[in-house]
Amino acid sequence: MVLRSPQDALYALVSDWPIHDGVHQQRAIDFCRAWLAGRMPAETVRQAFILAALEAGVVITDDANGTANSVSNPPV
């Protein structure tokens, strides 16, 4: 999945996330919603998303343009 904005991150956190009710997941959801309302900078949302990904074991890579690509549950 390619994430280009906090709106994309919100969709991933709510729809495609491998865990539910994670502390960092909920915080990232709240931050994404705050960004949509114009109350949170995108970089702060990005950092919250990274913590949620670590909590859930979701691997994140950035491409050359800084676009986050996340892959949940990578093969062992």
Side-chain angles (χ1 to χ4, degrees):
M1 170 181 284
V2 176
L3 306 175
R4 291 188 167 81
S5 71
Q7 188 169 4
D8 291 348
L10 178 59
Y11 179 81
L13 288 160
V14 172
S15 300
D16 297 329
W17 215 240
I19 67 168
H20 300 286
D21 299 323
V23 173
H24 291 292
Q25 176 194 20
Q26 187 56 54
R27 185 173 184 197
I29 289 169
D30 293 344
F31 280 23
C32 288
R33 289 181 176 151
W35 175 83
L36 287 169
R39 299 188 319 259
M40 183 76 59
E43 184 56 32
T44 303
V45 176
R46 182 178 187 278
Q47 294 302 318
F49 182 82
I50 290 169
L51 289 175
L54 289 170
E55 174 183 64
V58 174
V59 176
I60 299 176
T61 59
D62 288 336
D63 67 12
N65 298 319
T67 301
N69 299 292
S70 66
V71 180
S72 45
N73 303 325
V76 178

